Amino acid sequence: MAEASYPEKLHYHAEHDWALLDGDVATFGITWFAQDALGEVVFFDPPEVGSTVTANEFYAEVESVKAVSDVIAPLSGEIVEVNTALADAPEAINEEPYDGGWMVKVKLSDPAEVDSLLDRETYVSGL
Amino acid sequence: MSGYTAVTEHDLEPMLAAIGVDSIEQLFDGIPAGVRLSGEIDLPPGEPEQDVYAELHRLAQRNVCTEDETTFLGAGMYDHYVPAIVDMLMSRSEFLTPYTPYQPEVSQGGLQVMFEYQTAISELTGLPVSNASLYEGPSAVGAAAYLAKLSNKRPRVLVSRGVHPDSRETLRTLAVGYGTTVQEIALDDAVTDLNALSDALSDDVSAVILQQPNFLGAIEDVAALSAAAHEHGALAICAADPLTLGVIEAPGRQGADVCVGEGQTLGNRLDFGGPSFGFFAATEQHLRSMPGRIAGETIDADGRRGFVLTLQTREQHIRREKATSNICTSQALNALAGVVYLSWLGREGIVEIGELMLQRTHYARETLAAIEGVSKLHDRPVVREFALRLDVGGPDGVSRVVERCAAAQINAGFALARAYDEYGDGLLVAITEQRSRQDIDRFASVLAEAVAAERARAAAGAAA
Amino acid sequence: MSILDGGATAQQRERATTLYEKGAPGRRAYVAPQLDVPHVDDLIPQGMRRAEPPRLPEASEPEIVRHFVNLSKRNFDLDSGFYPLGSCTMKHNPRLHERVAALPGHARLHPLQDPKRAQGALELMFELQGALGEIAGLPHVSLQPSAGSHGELAGVLLTRAFHEDRGEQRTKVLTPDSAHGTNPATVTMAGYEVVKVKLDADGGVDVEDLRAKADRDTACLMLTNPSTLGIFDPNIEEIAEIVHGVGATLYYDGANLNAIMGYSRPGDMGFDIVHFNLHKTFTQPHGGGGPGAGPIAVSERIEPYLPRPQVVCSAPANGGPPAFDLDYDRPKSIGKLRGFQGNYGVFVRTYAYIRSLGAEGLKDVSEVAVLNANYLLARLRDEVGDLLPLAFGERCMHEFVLSGAPMKKALGIRTLDLAKRLLDHGMHPPTVYFPLVVEEALLIEPTETETRETLDAFVDAIASIVREAADDPEIARDAPYSTPVRRLDEAGAAKRPRVRQSL
């Protein structure tokens, strides 16, 4: 994705991750800033369905040619789905960080955690 | 100023002026007085090239090398013939002097050599992915056990007593670091005891490590041993002598998940133990946890075929504390020798050299075991090395026999007591394509004399 | 048509083909010796016989030679041109060393030869141990480790053995942010946790941060001095005191030894364990990525744990010449890090170098290395100092780090682009993007074997690239143009790895 963009509807974590809420299930991914800093993504190794993620802790790694980055969970819960398309096309993380580049879907264990995430304006102002 | 630096008075003044100091010493002002060397390094003065050559020559003369005796000494490194093209190519500036290929546009030579080397190792081992080399054999075994640990996180590793003693000891030393316990599996009639292995296996075992052929020269049943490992979810790691893989089945086709080994037999000199190279090949699933450099094929901006170091995120310079290994410098030049050698042997040659060793080894074992006082320590199928028993009263007797042979310019081999208490009367004999029938016959005659003399001596001593 | 207009070089027009794609069935270079013993069938049981031979190339000797010689010409190398890779010490490789290493008495000596019949090799190793100990300022040396990072692993394992022998279970190893990647990687392999120590504003270790982090759980501090920034840490004595004060060991990464020989010794700075990079400081050719060697020198208290075997010397009872031997009887040794005694071929070359140079020559090496680096720094500062400023301090030792951040901002080209355009000038670029603490880093180490003219030519090349970029940044961004291949798709190689020829 050529132009920086940060959709209004998402919740943001200071470590450059986003969460999209749908009831008590949230989708996670990394922001435009993160994919831009990483360069072209070459590998994403997702965690297993059924494993737990904890807010503010890393749950996966994303690799470009010259760097490896920890992916931080914005919220806690159990992984119910992973984006298997990224195995063959990890560049979706660069091209559509908020759509085709989604990483995992998590059933939240503590929906109230959302309150400590940042809104679009606050996150962007911190960049 | 030496022959290697070029700063004369004529250069020094303008350089100091450009920097803005009055003397070279000023450039070292940042070193605190408390850690300054007072005086000189305590070493003699430098010498002209011809004197250094003379000294190195004098030291060389004090060594009995394989040109000075007919050697049957193996035990991990072997006196193979290295063709002249290897020397010639290794000494080319373009291969000898560059650094690791971090700027691929000007390193296509070295990167393609790595790619061809990786292909050759993959072919030999029967495994799809290979790296571009590790230091040597025993540390490659240690690296394989580390990969197993990263893969299944289990705390224990089983290693056959048939694996080279240096590999077993290196494994123990490195395992202290990554927290794996090492348990040895005994041999039964010179090969890994499958029952003992099955008894020792459980779901806390990360890997089973074998050697093919094993240290006593015997061919192991890699298929059965790997299957046993897999039944318990452990990795099967096989250390192999690459030059035997023209006639012995590839470990990768017999269930090995990882195949490593000492590459010296492929176009590298003995060099009193190094430098040589270690090879490391594995199944596809382990590609991203493999240690070492890996060259990969790609295309350039204009669509040309080219090669780069790839999957670098495994490595220390990027992943740092989470790297799959700390290796930086490996053994690129020695791996070049390896791939040139394998290219020189070719598809037919690798089989022929294996056949030649196989036949001569058989002949040597039969001939030597026929000597009075000499018997086979085991009768397992062998390819290039075998173990004998000398009935000369134990390790001291064996040493003396070896000494007597040495006086006749024959290196009789490796006294097994040096590494195995249980084979105190053992002698490990190695055959290469350089040991002709004539050499073997002469060895037999010298050995016969030496053994007879030693037995007579022992008898005289007993009688006294 | 010029190269910049898209005309390809001769090498670019040749498609890269592997030896597997050349040759033809039945061609060969190897002529096997005749079978001179009776042929016996079935020596290998069916299930263990190789079913399908490995698919190695099939080519004659001339084809093989032409293939590899042409490949070699697609390589830039140190004999051919300037190679200022920071942290690598790309100094000239004297050819005497190749000649002596090839002497059969050295090259064709079996590692398990009876020590009585390998006295030349053992004498050489013993003398080399002594010389390296002298240079390090530490009394005991092991030549066994095969590379710098192997030496680092040895050092951390020695540290572990040292602490455990005292009944202590420490868990952490400290390293500065500027450390070479092998340092933290080694720490993990040795089973410790990495704790990073901050740098102060001058690029040295932040002493207060060290004081706060060093405790009785600290096993070791790993440092290099001068650091990867090319700066000698003025607080080294205090650092040593703090580390020893909590009972930890102090480890010296010898990558930058080229800067201080004859002026300071790591042992005198307080280091307990030092590793040397024989392929850096001591001219072992880099070989495109090895072989090297990483021997270690240690203090008295670490000696018992050294790997086995050690090369020892004894004066024989009857007053003859000293006898050398390999000592395996070392009950507290950490064991072995590899087979046999180490990369002896590398020791031969190093020994020849040390004898050629002597004490004065080694000091000259460091003096000229530091002189050349400072001269290069001064000239670059004059020409392009505003766009490529020195990251830390005013002067440097044997290497220095520039930041390409101002250049990126002003001209729109990055350190990477500058490096790629340098290739068109027939020079190897410096190290890029290391150390990580400097943005758009350019780490430059000319070494002592380069002439002033070469350094001036490098400055001219950099200046010309910068001028060209001010005019048209696209040129550098798409460079190089004249090399055997142009910029390569590294992302593609990592996404879909093809690591062997498919057959």
Side-chain angles (χ1 to χ4, degrees):
Chain A
M1 188 186 275
E3 297 273 312
S5 98
Y6 304 96
E8 197 64 54
K9 62 184 170 171
L10 301 176
H11 299 268
Y12 294 87
H13 187 287
E15 291 291 340
H16 314 295
D17 311 88
W18 55 264
L20 174 67
L21 265 59
D22 183 9
D24 66 349
V25 172
T27 307
F28 298 163
I30 64 172
T31 67
W32 186 94
F33 180 88
Q35 66 79 29
D36 182 58
L38 212 52
E40 185 173 351
V41 175
V42 301
F43 188 67
F44 173 69
D45 192 14
E48 298 205 346
V49 171
S51 53
T52 36
V53 297
T54 310
N56 304 311
E57 287 180 16
F58 92 91
Y59 67 92
E61 282 177 341
V62 63
E63 291 182 24
S64 65
V65 173
K66 292 284 200 266
V68 186
S69 216
D70 288 339
V71 184
I72 305 293
L75 305 164
S76 314
E78 182 192 316
I79 297 186
V80 296
E81 203 183 327
V82 303
N83 186 352
T84 49
L86 294 179
D88 288 324
E91 62 271 13
I93 294 172
N94 299 106
E95 287 157 15
E96 302 170 23
Y98 309 109
D99 295 305
W102 71 272
M103 292 177 172
V104 295
K105 289 195 173 51
V106 170
K107 183 166 158 65
L108 298 176
S109 56
D110 183 7
E113 282 174 333
V114 165
D115 298 336
S116 40
L117 293 180
L118 310 172
D119 65 11
R120 181 194 183 279
E121 263 176 58
T122 321
Y123 170 70
V124 169
S125 67
L127 290 176
Chain B
M1 191 177 74
S2 72
Y4 307 135
T5 57
V7 177
T8 61
E9 283 307 311
H10 172 76
D11 298 301
L12 186 58
E13 276 193 46
M15 290 176 83
L16 292 174
I19 297 168
V21 294
D22 300 316
S23 68
I24 289 186
E25 285 72 31
Q26 252 185 283
L27 297 173
F28 290 87
D29 280 351
I31 300 182
V35 300
R36 279 268 187 158
L37 189 60
S38 55
E40 303 292 314
I41 307 173
D42 187 12
L43 285 174
E47 296 167 272
E49 179 169 329
Q50 67 191 56
D51 292 351
V52 177
Y53 178 79
E55 173 61 10
L56 270 295
H57 188 267
R58 178 190 76 80
L59 290 166
Q61 297 291 90
R62 296 190 73 207
N63 297 324
V64 175
C65 73
T66 60
E67 286 191 356
D68 306 315
E69 59 182 11
T70 305
T71 190
F72 294 88
L73 176 59
M77 285 201 171
Y78 303 87
D79 180 33
H80 287 285
Y81 180 76
V82 176
I85 59 168
V86 168
D87 297 345
M88 181 271 269
L89 289 166
M90 274 175 96
S91 62
R92 283 187 72 83
S93 296
E94 300 91 332
F95 286 137
L96 183 69
T97 70
Y99 191 66
T100 304
Y102 282 138
Q103 298 292 347
E105 297 88 343
V106 291
S107 317
Q108 288 300 292
L111 286 162
Q112 187 173 327
V113 165
M114 287 180 186
F115 184 78
E116 297 194 20
Y117 162 89
Q118 286 163 197
T119 306
I121 296 296
S122 167
E123 280 297 310
L124 283 181
T125 60
L127 288 164
V129 298
S130 159
N131 72 8
S133 78
L134 296 177
Y135 307 132
E136 41 86 74
S139 55
V141 171
Y146 189 56
L147 177 139
K149 176 173 178 149
L150 292 179
S151 165
N152 56 36
K153 304 186 181 28
R154 295 176 176 189
R156 198 156 60 101
V157 122
L158 303 177
V159 63
S160 163
R161 200 154 162 70
V163 170
H164 195 292
D166 283 1
S167 296
R168 282 182 280 127
E169 189 167 350
T170 301
L171 176 63
R172 276 199 198 85
T173 301
L174 298 178
V176 164
Y178 46 87
T180 292
T181 49
V182 179
Q183 184 184 335
E184 264 185 25
I185 302 298
L187 298 177
D188 176 27
D189 188 19
V191 293
T192 309
D193 185 341
L194 183 55
N195 290 325
L197 176 64
S198 302
D199 287 343
L201 273 165
S202 69
D203 61 12
D204 73 332
V205 172
S206 174
V208 171
I209 307 179
L210 328 152
Q211 181 172 307
Q212 177 73 303
N214 69 22
F215 188 74
L216 300 177
I219 302 179
E220 293 267 13
D221 188 349
V222 173
L225 296 163
S226 300
H230 291 154
E231 256 172 63
H232 293 266
L235 256 51
I237 297 172
C238 183
D241 178 344
L243 206 51
T244 63
L245 294 177
V247 293
I248 297 184
E249 187 54 283
R253 292 209 192 92
Q254 300 207 299
D257 299 288
V258 180
C259 183
V260 297
E262 173 56 58
Q264 179 268 324
T265 52
L266 303 178
N268 279 274
R269 303 224 183 278
L270 291 165
D271 273 317
F272 200 49
S276 62
F277 69 91
F279 63 89
F280 192 113
T283 55
E284 194 81 46
Q285 73 177 101
H286 297 295
L287 176 58
R288 286 177 191 279
S289 2
M290 272 175 53
R293 310 293 186 183
I294 300 179
E297 188 176 341
T298 186
I299 55 173
D300 81 348
D302 295 335
R304 281 176 207 100
R305 184 189 194 191
F307 303 91
V308 289
L309 286 181
T310 193
L311 303 175
Q312 292 189 65
T313 48
R314 297 162 302 120
E315 297 188 68
Q316 48 76 28
H317 57 291
I318 293 176
R319 205 156 215 140
R320 298 173 69 88
E321 62 268 15
K322 294 191 200 166
T324 59
S325 163
N326 69 349
I327 194 169
C328 182
T329 293
S330 54
Q331 307 280 138
L333 191 66
N334 301 98
L336 164 69
V339 70
V340 170
Y341 179 76
L342 285 170
S343 303
W344 177 78
L345 275 185
R347 185 178 296 215
E348 292 174 4
I350 185 97
V351 179
E352 287 170 15
I353 204 172
E355 270 301 324
L356 188 59
M357 288 193 294
L358 183 66
Q359 296 297 332
R360 288 220 183 110
T361 297
H362 175 77
Y363 175 78
R365 182 160 71 167
E366 294 305 310
T367 306
L368 297 175
I371 294 169
E372 171 106 25
V374 179
S375 58
K376 295 176 193 173
L377 191 145
H378 69 81
D379 200 11
R380 297 279 179 181
V382 291
V383 182
R384 66 104 104 255
E385 197 160 23
F386 55 92
L388 298 170
R389 274 216 161 86
L390 306 184
D391 187 15
V392 290
D396 289 342
V398 174
S399 297
R400 279 193 292 270
V401 165
V402 170
E403 222 16 76
R404 288 177 197 268
C405 292
Q409 276 82 51
I410 297 231
N411 192 319
F414 181 78
L416 281 169
R418 286 168 77 175
Y420 292 79
D421 287 340
E422 66 267 43
Y423 301 128
D425 49 7
L427 180 70
L428 189 66
V429 176
I431 301 294
T432 72
E433 80 287 13
Q434 299 209 90
R435 298 295 88 84
S436 66
R437 175 181 182 150
Q438 225 177 321
D439 293 330
I440 296 167
D441 289 342
R442 184 166 98 80
F443 179 26
S445 125
V446 168
L447 185 64
E449 249 182 73
V451 167
E454 189 51 34
R455 282 153 70 88
R457 179 193 172 285
Chain C
M1 226 182 162
S2 93
I3 282 162
L4 275 184
D5 293 340
T9 63
Q11 282 184 323
Q12 286 171 354
R13 280 190 288 276
E14 270 173 40
R15 183 181 183 271
T17 32
T18 66
L19 194 53
Y20 302 91
E21 297 163 303
K22 297 179 183 172
R27 287 191 192 161
R28 48 190 299 142
Y30 177 58
V31 177
Q34 288 283 20
L35 185 61
D36 50 5
V37 298
H39 185 278
V40 176
D41 288 324
D42 300 325
L43 288 172
I44 299 181
Q46 249 329 93
M48 293 167 178
R49 255 277 177 190
R50 183 118 194 177
E52 292 294 325
R55 291 164 300 175
L56 297 177
E58 297 192 80
S60 63
E61 175 173 315
E63 284 182 278
I64 297 172
V65 167
R66 185 163 292 167
H67 174 73
F68 284 102
V69 167
N70 281 332
L71 267 187
S72 78
K73 295 181 183 179
R74 292 165 87 86
N75 257 8
F76 181 84
D77 66 276
L78 175 60
D79 277 352
S80 305
F82 190 43
Y83 220 120
L85 271 182
S87 172
C88 301
T89 313
M90 302 296 291
K91 65 168 78 180
H92 173 70
N93 308 128
R95 280 322 190 281
L96 167 68
H97 302 175
E98 300 310 304
R99 177 181 281 182
V100 296
L103 289 169
H106 296 304
R108 301 197 61 186
L109 182 63
H110 194 287
L112 294 171
Q113 176 62 288
D114 186 331
K116 287 198 304 293
R117 282 184 272 282
Q119 287 293 293
L122 295 174
E123 181 182 341
L124 188 151
M125 288 175 69
F126 187 80
E127 292 298 318
L128 180 60
Q129 284 175 184
L132 291 175
E134 200 23 59
I135 293 166
L138 288 168
H140 303 288
V141 174
S142 168
L143 299 177
Q144 201 180 108
S146 296
S149 55
H150 210 207
E152 290 171 36
L153 184 58
V156 183
L157 290 174
L158 287 169
T159 290
R160 178 181 279 286
F162 169 76
H163 289 303
E164 285 180 5
D165 200 22
R166 271 149 196 72
E168 297 190 33
Q169 302 293 331
R170 300 185 178 218
T171 61
K172 305 194 180 109
V173 171
L174 273 42
T175 90
D177 265 334
S178 55
H180 191 276
T182 53
N183 292 177
T186 298
V187 170
T188 305
M189 282 179 83
Y192 284 107
E193 187 194 323
V194 175
V195 174
K196 291 178 210 175
V197 178
K198 297 196 199 129
L199 300 181
D200 62 20
D202 301 316
V205 168
D206 181 330
V207 174
E208 289 320 307
D209 194 47
L210 175 64
R211 206 187 295 280
K213 290 177 173 155
D215 59 18
R216 301 219 64 97
D217 201 15
T218 304
C220 177
L221 169 67
M222 294 178 86
L223 269 192
T224 180
N225 196 20
S227 68
T228 55
L229 299 166
I231 297 171
F232 195 94
D233 198 320
N235 301 314
I236 187 63
E237 290 164 289
E238 200 180 346
I239 291 167
E241 232 181 271
I242 294 171
V243 173
H244 290 149
V246 298
T249 62
L250 192 58
Y251 180 92
Y252 182 81
D253 178 332
N256 294 332
L257 195 62
N258 216 43
I260 56 169
M261 291 188 290
Y263 276 84
S264 184
R265 305 188 303 176
D268 300 332
M269 296 180 216
F271 287 92
D272 295 283
I273 307 170
V274 170
H275 91 253
F276 303 86
N277 296 68
L278 298 188
H279 45 294
K280 294 186 181 186
T281 323
F282 295 95
T283 77
Q284 166 64 27
H286 281 85
I296 49 177
V298 305
S299 58
E300 202 64 52
R301 62 187 188 148
I302 305 290
E303 187 274 338
Y305 315 101
L306 283 176
R308 335 184 295 149
Q310 274 297 93
V311 180
V312 295
C313 176
S314 53
N318 57 16
F324 301 94
D325 204 352
L326 291 169
D327 179 19
Y328 287 90
D329 184 14
R330 304 186 52 85
K332 292 195 174 181
S333 165
I334 57 174
K336 292 185 76 64
L337 296 158
R338 54 155 294 151
F340 314 116
Q341 293 83 255
N343 282 346
Y344 178 74
V346 177
F347 309 152
V348 173
R349 293 173 174 85
T350 303
Y351 187 62
Y353 183 61
I354 293 175
R355 287 202 71 123
S356 298
L357 262 52
E360 231 182 85
L362 290 172
K363 188 171 182 182
D364 177 56
V365 163
S366 290
E367 286 182 336
V368 179
V370 171
L371 174 72
N372 275 355
N374 277 282
Y375 174 73
L376 190 54
L377 171 60
R379 289 237 39 229
L380 283 170
R381 185 184 266 140
D382 281 343
E383 294 284 325
V384 292
D386 48 345
L387 294 169
L388 291 160
L390 185 64
F392 285 93
E394 284 296 309
R395 291 209 297 260
C396 65
M397 299 229 55
H398 65 310
E399 65 186 2
F400 56 93
V401 190
L402 303 179
S403 171
M407 176 183 72
K408 178 175 170 186
K409 200 152 172 220
L411 304 178
I413 67 165
R414 305 176 58 208
T415 290
L416 180 72
D417 306 313
L418 177 68
K420 298 303 182 190
R421 190 58 174 141
L422 254 177
L423 295 172
D424 289 324
H425 287 257
M427 297 181 190
H428 195 281
T431 300
V432 296
Y433 300 101
F434 177 80
L436 302 173
V437 293
V438 175
E439 194 190 337
E440 294 290 324
L442 194 64
L443 177 60
I444 305 177
E445 181 184 359
T447 83
E448 75 283 4
T449 56
E450 298 297 334
T451 62
R452 180 158 64 108
E453 300 85 77
T454 303
L455 304 182
D456 289 338
F458 179 76
V459 173
D460 290 343
I462 298 279
S464 113
I465 295 170
V466 157
R467 268 193 313 270
E468 178 188 73
D471 209 38
D472 182 1
E474 277 308 306
I475 299 180
R477 286 200 209 117
D478 288 340
Y481 302 91
S482 59
T483 51
V485 294
R486 299 192 51 217
R487 284 202 207 189
L488 292 149
D489 179 12
E490 299 194 32
K495 270 193 258 191
R496 288 165 292 276
R498 281 196 305 274
V499 300
R500 59 154 288 167
Q501 176 79 45
S502 21
L503 293 170

